[in-house]
Amino acid sequence: MVLGMLAITLAVSYALMRAQVQTSLLQNNSQTTVLARQAAEAGLMRAIRKMSIEGEWEGVGTTMTGNVDSQSSYSVIYTAGDAS
């Protein structure tokens, strides 16, 4: 009987620990998604601003990169639209 209770306790403890790890991983993934979106928006705003300032934009076919912080960066590639 004692061994049965010990086995049940270990199983429940393992299940709770696993759920806590998964929750932590999901939260980390959510934060990474937010940072990626912010980097993309920062790159888009900088690219549009650079296109609107006369003399700064090098034209179609160029690339611009930048860093938002120590972990996030962006890369903007100016390309022409399709033929249609």
Side-chain angles (χ1 to χ4, degrees):
M1 180 122 179
V2 172
L3 287 176
M5 292 298 286
L6 183 61
I8 291 171
T9 303
L10 286 174
V12 170
S13 296
Y14 176 75
L16 290 173
M17 182 185 67
R18 182 125 173 109
Q20 184 64 33
V21 168
Q22 289 299 321
T23 301
S24 176
L25 290 173
L26 286 171
Q27 182 179 13
N28 188 27
N29 191 28
S30 176
Q31 290 173 348
T32 303
T33 301
V34 168
L35 291 175
R37 183 173 185 86
Q38 288 174 347
E41 289 175 355
L44 178 63
M45 292 299 130
R46 181 144 188 257
I48 292 171
R49 187 173 59 236
K50 192 169 187 175
M51 285 176 64
S52 66
I53 298 174
E54 189 174 328
E56 277 198 30
W57 184 46
E58 292 107 19
V60 175
T62 60
T63 303
M64 179 185 64
T65 59
N67 293 324
V68 177
D69 56 25
S70 63
Q71 296 178 340
S72 303
S73 63
Y74 57 85
S75 177
V76 177
I77 302 171
Y78 296 102
T79 58
D82 62 357
S84 63

